[in-house]
Amino acid sequence: MAAVARAFQLACRARLKTLVQITPTAQSSTKTAHRGYATQSSPGASTSSSTNTPRRAVTVTTDDGRYKWSDLSTREKAARSTQQSFNLALVVAGAVGTLTVIYFLYQELFAADSKTRQFNHAVDRVKADSRCTELLGPAKEIRAYGEPTSNKWARARPLAHSVEVDKLGVTHFKMHFHVEGPKDAGVVSLHMTKGKGDEDLQYKYLSLNVKGHPTVYLENADEKSPKKAVAKMFGVQWRES
């Protein structure tokens, strides 16, 4: 009986030692967990401090519009105004340049008194006239060009033309250019007029001059106009006005 009691005491003591060893381990794990929580909160603190960094100053070259007008200082507002004024000036200059190019292209190619348009129309008239093709050659082989220059490309030769307005307000458009075919070469001359109330130029004359041949008139307003009656009195001719 005494042996049983002694064995029970020894078992209780072993049990107590086990509990004493487990308790410090649990406390240390608790401290470790607490430290881990403190370590995880430290990045949050650094993040919040980073949001408080000062913003970049707004200048003429760095302004990207991310900041509101009310958040800008007086100097930054002046910088933004300068940048926007410069951008507006660029847009206006680009628009003016585009309109200028369109205007000159229209005047050069599509306007009624454009030298290029009248040149092309006169060349077509020459090629379509049988008297001209008889002197120059087939219409497909006739080429037209302006005044001879040092440039070897015939299309780059300038067209000799002039535009004048007389005292009555009539516009006179004059031009001459060269034509050349397999048979011969010549010079085409034209004179066109436009009155104050007219919209288009009208031919006064259009002619082809080939050396050694009579002048070929494709248009001649003087021949179409009726001849005025002439009266003679006391040896003096009187023409009706």
Side-chain angles (χ1 to χ4, degrees):
M1 190 69 179
V4 173
R6 188 172 179 80
F8 178 76
Q9 290 178 355
L10 293 174
C12 289
R13 291 177 180 176
R15 180 76 174 175
L16 182 60
K17 290 181 178 180
T18 304
L19 292 174
V20 171
Q21 292 176 354
I22 293 174
T23 301
T25 305
Q27 291 177 354
S28 62
S29 63
T30 304
K31 292 180 180 179
T32 303
H34 179 71
R35 290 177 181 176
Y37 177 79
T39 304
Q40 292 176 359
S41 64
S42 58
S46 61
T47 303
S48 61
S49 63
S50 63
T51 58
N52 296 327
T53 56
R55 63 176 178 82
R56 183 179 60 179
V58 175
T59 63
V60 175
T61 57
T62 61
D63 185 20
D64 54 6
R66 73 172 64 182
Y67 301 118
K68 296 181 179 179
W69 179 264
S70 59
D71 297 335
L72 302 179
S73 64
T74 302
R75 180 176 297 180
E76 290 173 335
K77 289 179 179 179
R80 175 169 291 182
S81 299
T82 302
Q83 184 195 65
Q84 292 178 350
S85 299
F86 179 75
N87 293 338
L88 178 61
L90 286 180
V91 173
V92 172
V96 171
T98 301
L99 293 176
T100 302
V101 172
I102 293 174
Y103 172 78
F104 280 109
L105 284 177
Y106 173 79
Q107 291 293 327
E108 185 69 19
L109 300 177
F110 305 108
D113 53 354
S114 165
K115 64 177 182 180
T116 303
R117 179 177 178 180
Q118 300 304 334
F119 168 77
N120 292 331
H121 187 262
V123 172
D124 293 338
R125 292 285 303 272
V126 171
K127 291 182 178 181
D129 194 283
S130 58
R131 298 169 297 174
C132 298
T133 55
E134 184 178 353
L135 295 175
L136 302 175
K140 295 182 179 181
E141 300 181 28
I142 296 176
R143 63 190 188 95
Y145 50 88
E147 295 303 301
T149 62
S150 57
N151 194 327
K152 65 179 181 179
W153 300 103
R155 292 183 179 180
R157 298 178 179 179
L159 296 172
H161 76 290
S162 64
V163 180
E164 299 176 356
V165 179
D166 61 19
K167 60 183 180 180
L168 299 178
V170 178
T171 302
H172 295 266
F173 179 89
K174 299 178 182 180
M175 175 190 291
H176 70 268
F177 57 88
H178 301 267
V179 289
E180 184 177 350
K183 293 183 178 181
D184 213 333
V187 177
V188 176
S189 301
L190 63 91
H191 181 183
M192 307 182 75
T193 60
K194 181 175 66 173
K196 288 184 177 180
D198 299 334
E199 295 182 358
D200 299 325
L201 291 167
Q202 302 294 331
Y203 279 107
K204 185 174 180 64
Y205 67 80
L206 173 63
S207 63
L208 169 64
N209 295 282
V210 178
K211 189 175 181 179
H213 298 276
T215 301
V216 177
Y217 284 94
L218 288 79
E219 293 283 351
N220 192 344
D222 294 337
E223 292 183 352
K224 296 179 181 179
S225 60
K227 295 182 179 180
K228 297 179 180 180
V230 178
K232 181 178 293 187
M233 182 181 296
F234 304 110
V236 179
Q237 291 184 349
W238 299 86
R239 187 181 299 273
E240 294 181 1
S241 57

